[in-house]
Amino acid sequence: MVYSTAEETGEMASETYSNTHELKTQPDYFNAVSEGRKRFELRRNDRNFKVGDTIVLREWTESGHTGRKVSCRIDYILERYDGLDPDYVILSIIVL
């Protein structure tokens, strides 16, 4: 089991180190994040997410991108946890 936090990696949870990842998200999940009710993302780790990275969630429907987006910073990553597919991570996020 591996837990990553800014303190453990020695990285500041700020813009000191940051990649930006644009991700599609469905309206229900988008609303929950933008309203502050959902503070995590379950994602395939095909982008090598790191603590301090920024994710831009873009609301997406069957018709395409709605134009709404919200930026979040990753401040904790849970990976290689029992029951979690090894290709996936749970990202703790803070809306910017």
Side-chain angles (χ1 to χ4, degrees):
M1 191 176 346
V2 175
Y3 301 92
S4 299
T5 64
E7 293 83 22
E8 292 169 348
T9 62
E11 297 171 5
M12 298 291 291
S14 69
E15 284 69 32
T16 304
Y17 162 81
S18 182
N19 285 322
T20 300
H21 310 276
E22 293 209 7
L23 306 169
K24 297 177 186 176
T25 191
Q26 296 174 2
D28 288 344
Y29 303 128
F30 178 89
N31 290 330
V33 170
S34 64
E35 294 168 4
R37 295 181 291 115
K38 180 175 177 274
R39 293 177 285 278
F40 66 91
E41 281 291 308
L42 172 64
R43 293 288 174 156
R44 182 179 199 94
N45 196 14
D46 57 352
R47 298 167 182 256
N48 196 26
F49 296 110
K50 300 285 185 203
V51 170
D53 284 0
T54 299
I55 59 173
V56 179
L57 298 175
R58 298 170 57 101
E59 184 181 41
W60 199 266
T61 66
E62 293 177 9
S63 304
H65 183 246
T66 66
R68 295 186 353 156
K69 61 185 177 179
V70 62
S71 295
C72 306
R73 186 183 68 236
I74 299 171
D75 73 334
Y76 188 89
I77 300 173
L78 176 65
E79 57 189 333
R80 296 193 294 269
Y81 186 78
D82 289 342
L84 182 63
D85 184 296
D87 294 334
Y88 284 77
V89 293
I90 298 174
L91 309 172
S92 173
I93 57 173
I94 299 172
V95 174
L96 301 176

